[in-house]
Amino acid sequence: MVSELQQWFVLADSADFGFVVAGLSVLTAAGLYGFLRYSRLLRLIADTPTARIRSAPQGFVQFEGTADWLPGPEIVAPLTGLPCVWYRYRIEERRGGGRNRRRVVIDQGRSDDLFRLDDGTGACVVDPDGAIVIRPERDIWHGASRTLNMGPGSASRGFGGGRYRYVEERVPARREVLVAGEFSTRRHEGLSRSERLRELLGRWKNDPDIIRQYDSDRDGRLSIQDWQRVRAAAAVAVDREMAAEERPDAVHVIRRGERGTQRLLVISTLSESQLLFRQRLRAYGSGLVFIVAASLFLWAVTARF
């Protein structure tokens, strides 16, 4: 078989040979891209220990917890109407016939609504914008009308059931998920101490009661020494005000990192061990495709030329 394949490389028509070489080039590039992509994700997940939200450091972290809605309206998938914390969908139309038959995407979208992750020690907000979502629930069904009038449980499920194909992926609410991304804690502090002091002194500067209270020589004006006493009193008042205020709760957020950080956000319904196993299979499989396709490409070119 090896000798026959080598003979084909030598004697094949130029067009057929070019087609095969082009296909091998695409497979080589795809295998290399897949190996690098899946290996990167594998290293990140393997090298990032699972943290607890309550004590997590700032930066790239990994959490495992329960996904749920934030206060407010529930998130609902647009095609099935099922409640979820994240969705992605597309509607395809079958066009042409015979060898020219193809499917064209006529509508698509994905959720960018924030949701909540709770790991038992605390909760954080997940911003799914730009996330890689691994193993969501998936439904595919067909219909004869662009207007959605049947769900995935209908008889149209499967290939060839209609001109239109509906594809929807979801992460259900109250589902255990793994989330890896850039973690930050934000706190709304209001005005700083210096800003509060400046604002208070601005009010007191022209307050007749303050002038009367601190005017030592009773000439209706505050001397430099008088103003120093006013500043000291204002500082005490600001410190008391800030001490009496309730400290606002910290808001934890995990999202895709900005420039200069790990620009990656992973949301997976698989556990860490399952995700690592899946990524190893994909990385090794892509590497095998790269090696085989590259070897065949070099063999073909060498045999031909």
Side-chain angles (χ1 to χ4, degrees):
M1 181 178 178
V2 173
S3 60
E4 292 176 355
L5 185 57
Q6 184 172 9
Q7 185 178 11
W8 187 90
F9 286 150
V10 174
L11 301 177
D13 180 79
S14 297
D16 293 338
F17 180 79
F19 179 79
V20 170
V21 168
L24 291 174
S25 301
V26 171
L27 283 176
T28 300
L32 179 60
Y33 172 79
F35 176 75
L36 295 176
R37 181 172 183 263
Y38 296 131
S39 295
R40 179 193 176 216
L41 185 56
L42 174 63
R43 288 195 304 272
L44 277 175
I45 299 300
D47 295 342
T48 305
T50 300
R52 310 300 283 176
I53 293 175
R54 181 178 58 189
S55 57
Q58 306 293 285
F60 191 85
V61 298
Q62 175 179 302
F63 298 133
E64 287 187 282
T66 304
D68 208 343
W69 297 294
L70 290 168
E74 297 179 353
I75 303 171
V76 177
L79 300 186
T80 60
L82 295 175
C84 60
V85 297
W86 177 91
Y87 63 80
R88 178 170 55 203
Y89 76 92
R90 70 177 184 272
I91 302 176
E92 303 171 348
E93 181 183 7
R94 188 176 63 216
R95 296 178 181 175
R99 294 184 177 180
N100 295 324
R101 187 171 67 176
R102 67 191 189 282
R103 290 196 176 274
V104 178
V105 177
I106 58 175
D107 189 17
Q108 61 183 334
R110 61 182 291 159
S111 171
D112 59 1
D113 293 317
L114 307 178
F115 64 90
R116 183 173 182 266
L117 181 73
D118 192 326
D119 70 351
T121 69
C124 74
V125 175
V126 181
D127 181 354
D129 185 34
I132 298 173
V133 181
I134 298 175
R135 192 61 73 82
E137 288 188 356
R138 180 184 175 97
D139 281 312
I140 302 175
W141 69 104
H142 296 75
S145 171
R146 178 170 179 171
T147 303
L148 185 63
N149 55 11
M150 56 186 68
S154 68
S156 65
R157 191 181 183 90
F159 180 77
R163 179 180 175 184
Y164 296 92
R165 181 168 70 172
Y166 309 96
V167 182
E168 186 177 85
E169 298 171 305
R170 301 173 304 276
V171 175
R174 302 181 182 90
R175 177 72 179 267
E176 292 294 317
V177 297
L178 179 149
V179 180
E182 193 70 17
F183 178 73
S184 61
T185 301
R186 303 178 180 183
R187 186 188 297 274
H188 179 65
E189 299 285 0
L191 295 177
S192 66
R193 182 180 184 276
S194 60
E195 290 171 333
R196 294 180 188 221
L197 181 59
R198 186 164 54 249
E199 182 184 17
L200 182 59
L201 288 173
R203 295 200 310 268
W204 281 10
K205 184 177 181 179
N206 299 312
D207 188 331
D209 293 335
I210 295 296
I211 295 175
R212 188 165 45 253
Q213 180 180 351
Y214 290 95
D215 181 11
S216 58
D217 54 9
R218 305 304 175 185
D219 63 354
R221 293 180 300 178
L222 295 176
S223 65
I224 295 178
Q225 292 77 14
D226 295 337
W227 186 244
Q228 293 299 325
R229 293 168 56 210
V230 171
R231 288 183 60 87
V236 172
V238 167
D239 289 340
R240 287 176 177 172
E241 178 186 352
M242 295 184 68
E245 288 180 349
E246 293 186 3
R247 302 289 289 178
D249 293 334
V251 178
H252 304 301
V253 181
I254 186 167
R255 62 176 61 194
R256 184 172 183 258
E258 303 293 338
R259 186 180 300 274
T261 63
Q262 292 286 357
R263 295 177 58 83
L264 184 71
L265 175 65
V266 177
I267 301 173
S268 172
T269 62
L270 302 175
S271 66
E272 182 178 7
S273 59
Q274 293 172 325
L275 181 58
L276 290 175
F277 179 72
R278 171 192 170 102
Q279 293 307 118
R280 286 192 186 96
L281 285 181
R282 292 197 163 193
Y284 298 158
S286 298
L288 181 61
V289 169
F290 168 73
I291 292 172
V292 172
S295 300
L296 288 174
F297 175 83
L298 292 175
W299 183 23
V301 172
T302 302
R304 183 80 173 197
F305 303 105

